[in-house]
Amino acid sequence: MLTQKIKSYTTFSDLQQDLNAGTVRVEDLVNYYLGRIEEYKRLNAFLEVFADEALAKAAEIQAKIDNGTAGKLAGMIIGLKDNISFKGHKMSASSKILDGYEAVYSATVVERILQEDAIIIGRLNCDEFAMGASNETSYFGPVKNYIDETKVSGGSSGGSAVAVQADLCFASLASDTGGSIRQPAAFCGVFGLKPTYARVSRYGVVAYASSFDQVGPIAKSVEDVALLLEVIAGRDAHDGTSSSVPVPSYASIVANYNCSDKKRIAYIEETLHAEGLDPEIKANTLAQIENLKKEGHTVEPVSFEYLDYVVAAYYILTTAEASSNLARYDGVHYGYRSDQSADLISTYKKSRSEGFGDEVKRRIMLGTFVLSAGYYDAYYSKAQKARRLIKEKMDHILEDYDFIITPTTPAPAFNIGEEPSDPMVMYLADIFTVGASLAGLPAISLPSGNNQAGLPLGLQVIGRRYKEEDLLAFSKCIQKI
């Protein structure tokens, strides 16, 4: 009976009502999720489960609930992507080179959710160093999609998406560099938000591309995404890039928003004619556009002439930053050290060759190439100029429109092992998500029904910088249509 009650909760506020009424206890919740994790171990979503610690924490949180001193997230069971530090716990970024590493401090986002009495139940599988679009580059193997275990979960935050999709935890925290929250959220039929760049502290999160990386929530409702963002957002003295823009009460704004307000919405015309776009995703997006029009919103096509350049600019810039950020993992300063080395140079070479997977090595080499003296101006400098043009174009569109909508992905979840030998084909899977990342804008992937095969589809909504409250509130209205 308890299992059924827990499975029926769609928002955390519904669960909190029962927690406060005493009809559900936190220990029961933890045991429920531990049982689900064990039952669906084959999905490979969790790399490690903190069972004893979570149960001990449950007793502590239950006492706070009983005496009325509990925080905003009391009773919320959360999983962490394996690139977010949690003091005293392992963190490997799903890479051999960091296998066995134990975090010596907690990320700011972890500190903030713990202060509000969340319970962290384990660490979640991801693509190695968050580099991938299918969660197949992980040293610990791929994560399987709960809907169809022959399909990928999406990447790089595949474990974070599947853990929520399969009800292995209530919500999860993940990172998004160019779509790593939004794409797996779309593949798994859940909600995933990439906040405005600098809205959330990156302190304690393994760096892939520092001018892109953002931590965000994955959950089963817009309301829970809003609540988690409210807790983790805000200025952090440990992160010089974090913003001091005040954090509003996202949860309250979403809860009280009046969906009768009519909005001006742009859809990028080129996204519906992109090469390789799945016909069912195109039809689904057009149907969503018609639904919004029927509700009285203004929905108009806009041209985005830089669409063909977003993937190239994104991968040049992110691989350049990755080559710099990952230089520290050399077998001397950090990480795995090869036992086959004879001197310092061979230690570097062998440790990195054996410790990194193919995709990470590919991106390091590409990044080193575009930063080299002979090619810096030809590639890196031009990519930075393209980034500025893309940002200016998106900002210009959002001067005339409240939101931009696109499909989240060009295709639904594909088969595990289907990744083509040409990595550029896989990189093009990010074509709809990297634009918001290049511009530093907030973007969310919303569940948008299923295709004929039953696989989830996603709709991406992009908002104005630091206006997540508007983006989240409108996303709730889209879900009601």
Side-chain angles (χ1 to χ4, degrees), residues 76 78 160 164 171-176 181-182 185 190-195 200 214-222 224-230 232 443-445 472:
M76 184 178 283
I78 294 178
S160 300
V164 175
S172 62
L173 291 185
S175 64
D176 189 309
I181 287 175
R182 290 161 285 159
V190 293
F191 296 81
L193 173 73
K194 182 200 83 69
V200 177
Q214 270 294 272
V215 174
I218 295 177
K220 290 183 179 178
S221 70
V222 174
D224 292 344
V225 168
L227 177 60
L228 279 164
L229 181 63
E230 183 177 316
I232 65 174
I444 188 170
S445 180
L472 291 165

Side-chain angles (χ1 to χ4, degrees), residues 8-20 26 29 33 61 65 70-78 116-119 170-171 219-225 227-228 231 251:
S8 69
Y9 292 114
T10 55
T11 64
F12 185 58
S13 61
D14 292 338
L15 173 57
Q16 277 190 315
Q17 287 180 7
D18 285 352
L19 285 169
N20 291 330
V26 182
L29 285 170
Y33 287 119
I61 302 304
I65 292 173
K72 293 179 182 178
L73 302 181
M76 184 178 283
I77 316 300
I78 294 178
E116 293 295 342
D117 293 329
I119 295 174
F170 204 95
K220 290 183 179 178
S221 70
V222 174
E223 292 89 341
D224 292 344
V225 168
L227 177 60
L228 279 164
V231 170

Side-chain angles (χ1 to χ4, degrees), residues 127-237:
D127 279 305
E128 184 181 9
F129 280 97
M131 299 180 188
S134 63
N135 216 136
E136 293 178 283
T137 71
S138 170
Y139 175 61
F140 304 102
V143 176
K144 299 175 182 177
N145 196 306
Y146 176 65
I147 296 292
D148 181 345
E149 294 181 20
T150 67
K151 305 295 183 182
V152 300
S153 58
S156 63
S157 309
S160 300
V162 166
V164 175
Q165 176 198 37
D167 205 27
L168 310 183
C169 58
F170 204 95
S172 62
L173 291 185
S175 64
D176 189 309
T177 305
S180 288
I181 287 175
R182 290 161 285 159
Q183 189 247 32
F187 280 5
C188 295
V190 293
F191 296 81
L193 173 73
K194 182 200 83 69
T196 304
Y197 181 77
R199 175 80 283 186
V200 177
S201 172
R202 294 182 295 111
Y203 180 73
V205 181
V206 175
Y208 163 19
S210 302
S211 72
F212 292 82
D213 299 340
Q214 270 294 272
V215 174
I218 295 177
K220 290 183 179 178
S221 70
V222 174
E223 292 89 341
D224 292 344
V225 168
L227 177 60
L228 279 164
L229 181 63
E230 183 177 316
V231 170
I232 65 174
R235 174 70 180 166
D236 176 23

Side-chain angles (χ1 to χ4, degrees), residues 325-397:
N325 280 327
L326 272 63
R328 70 195 74 177
Y329 306 106
D330 55 13
V332 176
H333 295 90
Y334 296 95
Y336 166 84
R337 178 180 296 182
S338 173
D339 57 8
Q340 303 298 314
S341 53
D343 52 35
L344 182 62
I345 298 301
S346 65
T347 297
Y348 289 154
K349 289 182 177 180
K350 290 184 180 294
S351 297
R352 289 169 66 82
S353 295
E354 296 169 14
F356 288 130
D358 289 344
E359 183 59 33
V360 173
K361 286 187 279 192
R362 183 182 294 123
R363 298 193 191 196
I364 290 172
M365 289 189 291
L366 178 58
T368 303
F369 172 77
V370 301
L371 287 175
S372 61
Y375 297 98
Y376 182 93
D377 289 333
Y379 294 102
Y380 183 78
S381 181
K382 284 185 178 179
Q384 288 285 30
K385 292 175 182 177
R387 183 181 192 177
R388 178 178 57 80
L389 290 173
I390 291 163
K391 174 185 177 296
E392 289 176 352
K393 178 65 176 182
M394 297 193 81
D395 286 345
H396 179 69
I397 294 172

Side-chain angles (χ1 to χ4, degrees), residues 458-476:
L459 180 73
Q460 178 179 228
V461 187
I462 303 169
R464 293 170 179 157
R465 195 168 285 102
Y466 296 114
K467 290 296 182 180
E468 282 87 354
E469 62 271 29
D470 297 337
L471 177 64
L472 291 165
F474 184 64
S475 296
K476 181 182 176 182

